[in-house]
Amino acid sequence: MCNRRAARFKMADIEYYYSAKYSEEVEGMAIYDGQWEPVHHLHGYDHDFAPIVTAKDPDKIQMAWWGLIPHNTVDLAKALEEAQIRLLARTEDMYFNTYSELARYGTRCLIPSTGYFEHKHLDPKGKKKHPYYIWLKDRPIFSMGGLYSFWKDPVRGKLYKTYAICTTEANEFIAGIHNTGKRQPVILPDRESELAWLNPKLPREDVMKLCKAIPSELMDAHTIRKTENTEDVTAHFEYPQLFANAK
């Protein structure tokens, strides 16, 4: 649920979009030989390295690992465990659980995206299901709301920049696709909401308003192939049985 997304943009695209600059000195960018390439499919459990914009440095684009490690984690073994279970953060609970300190102090970030993936279950047990690609109709690049944490390994001294995607109750459109959990990522649909999300002093009640699902009419989706090994996993693929069932 919400743990797969697309980031089909170039670094120059998001530099322009956010009026922010990426520094090649950011630790870890050597993975991409100094160049970020558009990615059709990022999987949370692969802990992919991707750009974020933080509340502390809104004029910078930084690279971070998907899978949040709380700053007070004691060692690397525990850090890896934390990263596995902290891909997502439920906004309804984030002021009361492990994320509470991050939520209270406004340690929020924007996660540039071009879409994300969900499965629609066709039977109660989920044995039959079809994958969907979901995007915003009028925004080729948009921001998911997230929390971030920078953790330093006390033994090796390495700094891990990490984040989790915030989730909320799905709107009617997404509930029809993610028809089991009925959740979706927090999406900031315009520049005003993005800037508000990055405001560390934003009152809690205003933060929670931003966490509400955006209107269904802003979103679109189509079915895709079940394999993730295609050149463009986001490409439309029609399942004949869906149309047969609709008749």
Side-chain angles (χ1 to χ4, degrees), residues 140-158:
I141 298 173
F142 63 91
S143 297
M144 294 182 178
L147 298 173
Y148 74 95
S149 175
F150 292 174
W151 177 76
K152 190 171 184 178
D153 183 343
V155 175
R156 298 165 182 82
K158 181 177 179 179

Side-chain angles (χ1 to χ4, degrees), residues 171-191:
N171 60 31
E172 184 178 2
F173 176 68
I174 298 301
I177 298 173
H178 190 231
N179 56 347
T180 50
K182 297 186 178 181
R183 304 286 297 176
Q184 70 178 76
V186 169
I187 294 174
L188 292 314
D190 51 44
R191 196 67 185 125

Side-chain angles (χ1 to χ4, degrees), residues 9-18 20 22 36 61 141:
F9 48 74
K10 295 181 179 179
M11 188 61 73
D13 296 332
I14 58 173
E15 284 184 320
Y16 177 79
Y17 179 85
Y18 292 109
Y22 161 71
W36 163 264
I61 294 170
I141 298 173

